[in-house]
Amino acid sequence: MNNKGKIAIIVIAMVLVNVNAAFSTIRRVNNNSGVTGTNVYATFAAAYSASAAGDTLLVEGSITSYGDITLTKRLAIFGPGYDLNQNPETQATLVSAIFGSVTFNAGSENSKTVLCAYPS
């Protein structure tokens, strides 16, 4: 195979990888009463079960813990953060998303967790 053919295969492979990433799903996790909508889950477990590797979970603030979680697939998990009263203008509510223990098992390599609070 000549160099032009090799370059074409590389470009096609890169496009296919990016197309796959573009179809990942964003799911909201909110255990506050009365919150509904498309891709909104009342429990972290339900959102996790519905997710495929590469999906994103947006965990919203709640006074109720989302409990212990164990990851076995690559996900991006974003929460509202903690010490939100230090920057009150950045959030609609000043409540953190709280988890118990968070365990990363085989298959969860390269997962990202950002701004989630864990008990001290």
Short mmCIF file of all heavy atoms in Angstrom, two decimals, residues 79-94 115:
data_model
loop_
_atom_site.label_atom_id
_atom_site.label_comp_id
_atom_site.label_asym_id
_atom_site.label_seq_id
_atom_site.Cartn_x
_atom_site.Cartn_y
_atom_site.Cartn_z
N GLY A 79 -19.98 17.16 39.10
CA GLY A 79 -20.88 17.62 40.15
C GLY A 79 -20.77 19.12 40.30
O GLY A 79 -19.95 19.76 39.64
N PRO A 80 -21.58 19.70 41.19
CA PRO A 80 -21.57 21.15 41.35
C PRO A 80 -20.37 21.67 42.14
O PRO A 80 -20.08 22.85 42.12
CB PRO A 80 -22.87 21.43 42.10
CG PRO A 80 -23.14 20.17 42.85
CD PRO A 80 -22.62 19.06 41.97
N GLY A 81 -19.68 20.79 42.85
CA GLY A 81 -18.53 21.20 43.65
C GLY A 81 -18.85 21.19 45.12
O GLY A 81 -19.83 20.60 45.57
N TYR A 82 -18.03 21.87 45.90
CA TYR A 82 -18.22 21.96 47.33
C TYR A 82 -17.78 23.35 47.76
O TYR A 82 -17.20 24.10 46.98
CB TYR A 82 -17.45 20.86 48.08
CG TYR A 82 -16.00 20.79 47.69
CD1 TYR A 82 -15.05 21.49 48.40
CD2 TYR A 82 -15.59 20.03 46.60
CE1 TYR A 82 -13.71 21.44 48.03
CE2 TYR A 82 -14.27 19.97 46.23
CZ TYR A 82 -13.33 20.68 46.96
OH TYR A 82 -12.02 20.63 46.59
N ASP A 83 -18.08 23.73 49.00
CA ASP A 83 -17.85 25.09 49.48
C ASP A 83 -18.45 26.11 48.52
O ASP A 83 -17.85 27.13 48.18
CB ASP A 83 -16.35 25.35 49.69
CG ASP A 83 -15.76 24.52 50.81
OD1 ASP A 83 -16.51 24.18 51.76
OD2 ASP A 83 -14.57 24.20 50.75
N LEU A 84 -19.65 25.82 48.05
CA LEU A 84 -20.30 26.65 47.04
C LEU A 84 -20.63 28.05 47.55
O LEU A 84 -20.77 28.98 46.76
CB LEU A 84 -21.55 25.96 46.51
CG LEU A 84 -21.28 24.61 45.83
CD1 LEU A 84 -22.58 23.91 45.50
CD2 LEU A 84 -20.45 24.80 44.59
N ASN A 85 -20.72 28.22 48.89
CA ASN A 85 -21.02 29.53 49.44
C ASN A 85 -19.86 30.52 49.23
O ASN A 85 -20.04 31.72 49.37
CB ASN A 85 -21.38 29.42 50.92
CG ASN A 85 -20.27 28.79 51.74
OD1 ASN A 85 -19.39 28.11 51.21
ND2 ASN A 85 -20.32 28.97 53.04
N GLN A 86 -18.69 30.03 48.87
CA GLN A 86 -17.56 30.92 48.60
C GLN A 86 -17.70 31.61 47.24
O GLN A 86 -17.10 32.65 47.01
CB GLN A 86 -16.24 30.15 48.67
CG GLN A 86 -15.94 29.66 50.06
CD GLN A 86 -14.66 28.86 50.13
OE1 GLN A 86 -13.90 28.76 49.17
NE2 GLN A 86 -14.40 28.26 51.29
N ASN A 87 -18.48 31.02 46.34
CA ASN A 87 -18.75 31.61 45.01
C ASN A 87 -20.23 31.42 44.70
O ASN A 87 -20.60 30.69 43.78
CB ASN A 87 -17.89 30.93 43.93
CG ASN A 87 -16.43 31.13 44.17
OD1 ASN A 87 -15.94 32.25 44.15
ND2 ASN A 87 -15.72 30.05 44.44
N PRO A 88 -21.11 32.08 45.43
CA PRO A 88 -22.55 31.80 45.30
C PRO A 88 -23.14 32.14 43.94
O PRO A 88 -24.17 31.58 43.56
CB PRO A 88 -23.17 32.68 46.40
CG PRO A 88 -22.17 33.75 46.66
CD PRO A 88 -20.83 33.12 46.40
N GLU A 89 -22.50 32.97 43.18
CA GLU A 89 -23.03 33.35 41.87
C GLU A 89 -22.80 32.29 40.80
O GLU A 89 -23.30 32.42 39.68
CB GLU A 89 -22.43 34.70 41.41
CG GLU A 89 -20.95 34.66 41.08
CD GLU A 89 -20.00 34.66 42.28
OE1 GLU A 89 -20.43 34.81 43.44
OE2 GLU A 89 -18.79 34.51 42.05
N THR A 90 -22.09 31.23 41.11
CA THR A 90 -21.76 30.22 40.09
C THR A 90 -22.77 29.08 40.01
O THR A 90 -22.68 28.27 39.10
CB THR A 90 -20.36 29.63 40.34
OG1 THR A 90 -20.36 28.96 41.61
CG2 THR A 90 -19.28 30.71 40.32
N GLN A 91 -23.70 28.99 40.97
CA GLN A 91 -24.63 27.87 40.99
C GLN A 91 -26.05 28.35 41.26
O GLN A 91 -26.26 29.36 41.93
CB GLN A 91 -24.26 26.86 42.10
CG GLN A 91 -22.90 26.23 41.95
CD GLN A 91 -22.82 25.32 40.75
OE1 GLN A 91 -23.77 24.65 40.41
NE2 GLN A 91 -21.68 25.29 40.11
N ALA A 92 -27.03 27.60 40.76
CA ALA A 92 -28.44 27.91 41.04
C ALA A 92 -28.78 27.58 42.48
O ALA A 92 -29.64 28.20 43.09
CB ALA A 92 -29.33 27.14 40.08
N THR A 93 -28.12 26.59 43.04
CA THR A 93 -28.33 26.21 44.44
C THR A 93 -26.95 25.99 45.07
O THR A 93 -26.00 25.64 44.37
CB THR A 93 -29.19 24.93 44.55
OG1 THR A 93 -29.31 24.59 45.93
CG2 THR A 93 -28.59 23.77 43.81
N LEU A 94 -26.85 26.19 46.36
CA LEU A 94 -25.57 26.07 47.04
C LEU A 94 -25.39 24.71 47.70
O LEU A 94 -24.64 24.56 48.65
CB LEU A 94 -25.42 27.19 48.09
CG LEU A 94 -25.47 28.60 47.52
CD1 LEU A 94 -25.30 29.64 48.63
CD2 LEU A 94 -24.42 28.80 46.45
N LEU A 115 -15.40 17.99 40.63
CA LEU A 115 -16.24 18.79 41.51
C LEU A 115 -17.35 17.99 42.19
O LEU A 115 -18.49 18.43 42.26
CB LEU A 115 -16.84 19.99 40.76
CG LEU A 115 -15.82 20.95 40.16
CD1 LEU A 115 -16.55 22.01 39.34
CD2 LEU A 115 -14.98 21.60 41.23
#
